[in-house]
Amino acid sequence: MSLAATYRLGTRLFWKDRGMLFGSVVTPVGLAIGLPVLMRNVTGEGVAAATTVFHGMIAVILAITTFMTMVVTLTMRRDQLVLKRLRTTELTDAQILAGQIASVVSQTVVIVVLSALAVRVLADVPLPADPVLFAAAVVAGSAVMALLATAYTAAIPRAELSAAFAMPVFLLAGVGAGAMGPIPLPSFVRVALDLLPTGAVLDAVRDGEVLMPALNLAVWTLIGLVSLRRWFRWEPRRS
């Protein structure tokens, strides 16, 4: 078994799970396309409002399709002892987790790209002025969110609670990105939300910034790697 095989395994299991498809693909895609189209047609700001909403929905896609999917998938496979069995193969621990992360990241990138094309056609949202920066921000942001989700599974006692444990991250990312409308927040809360990885991605996508988003994602990557090394669990806790 190779890293590519682990990637294919994760992808195949994901697309066979109808419940996961609805929560991780249908719902975020519907929101990412439907809300900009709605804003384009019902507000006076038209295209500008639709563009702002779509950029915010990128953070929601990262929170749902990447973070929540990774949390639910890994806790489920941990509790079913799939991860433990994979460790008996020739794969290293890093290869096992890298294959899972790469699978989720690639699916997220495809969803973001398809959503961007759809809102261009349906809501006149302009395509990214810098496609390379846009793609790099989405890939890097998704990879960091997947890494953090992997480490976060250590805090989840069992698979049945995984979605509930991931929900606060979805809410924080959505509020921080403005995807849930203009919510008045204290300045210190706004600053904290802007420091999330999703905030860094939006800074790159919306404003074309490079240095600060890259630094932000680098710090979160370090946090994720340290947390993963210290607390990640390959099998359920024994009662």
Side-chain angles (χ1 to χ4, degrees), residues 179-232:
M180 300 179 183
I183 300 176
L185 297 170
S187 58
F188 70 91
V189 174
R190 171 56 57 188
V191 170
L193 293 178
D194 289 341
L195 292 176
L196 293 173
T198 49
V201 173
L202 291 185
D203 287 341
V205 170
R206 285 175 175 170
D207 305 322
E209 296 184 18
V210 176
L211 181 59
M212 291 308 296
L215 180 61
N216 178 297
L217 294 177
V219 171
W220 280 111
T221 299
L222 179 61
I223 293 172
L225 290 173
V226 172
S227 302
L228 190 67
R229 185 176 183 84
R230 287 177 61 89
W231 295 300
F232 184 76

Side-chain angles (χ1 to χ4, degrees), residues 16-196:
K16 285 184 176 181
D17 189 336
R18 294 183 180 180
M20 184 69 72
L21 284 177
F22 183 81
S24 300
V25 178
V26 176
T27 299
V29 167
L31 291 173
I33 297 175
L35 287 180
V37 171
L38 180 64
M39 298 299 290
R40 171 69 175 86
N41 293 298
V42 303
T43 65
E45 298 178 355
V47 173
T51 302
T52 299
V53 170
F54 175 67
H55 288 163
M57 292 311 302
I58 292 176
V60 173
I61 292 175
L62 293 178
I64 297 179
T65 305
T66 304
F67 191 90
M68 189 174 292
T69 297
M70 199 71 186
V71 166
V72 173
T73 299
L74 280 184
T75 52
M76 186 181 303
R77 292 175 188 168
R78 179 193 69 195
D79 289 5
Q80 294 172 344
L81 302 181
V82 173
L83 295 181
K84 185 177 181 180
R85 289 196 293 270
L86 284 174
R87 297 186 84 191
T88 64
T89 67
E90 296 179 355
L91 289 172
T92 65
D93 292 351
Q95 288 175 324
I96 293 171
L97 295 179
Q100 302 290 327
I101 290 173
S103 174
V104 172
V105 169
S106 62
Q107 289 153 195
T108 302
V109 172
V110 169
I111 288 173
V112 171
V113 171
L114 292 179
S115 298
L117 295 175
V119 295
R120 175 69 184 95
V121 174
L122 300 175
D124 298 324
V125 173
L127 293 174
D130 188 340
V132 174
L133 177 59
F134 180 87
V138 172
V139 171
S142 181
V144 171
M145 290 294 284
L147 175 63
L148 292 173
T150 303
Y152 187 63
T153 59
I156 303 173
R158 58 183 188 275
E160 293 84 354
L161 299 174
S162 56
F165 270 69
M167 188 60 65
V169 176
F170 158 66
L171 294 175
L172 290 174
V175 171
M180 300 179 183
I183 300 176
L185 297 170
S187 58
F188 70 91
V189 174
R190 171 56 57 188
V191 170
L193 293 178
D194 289 341
L195 292 176
L196 293 173

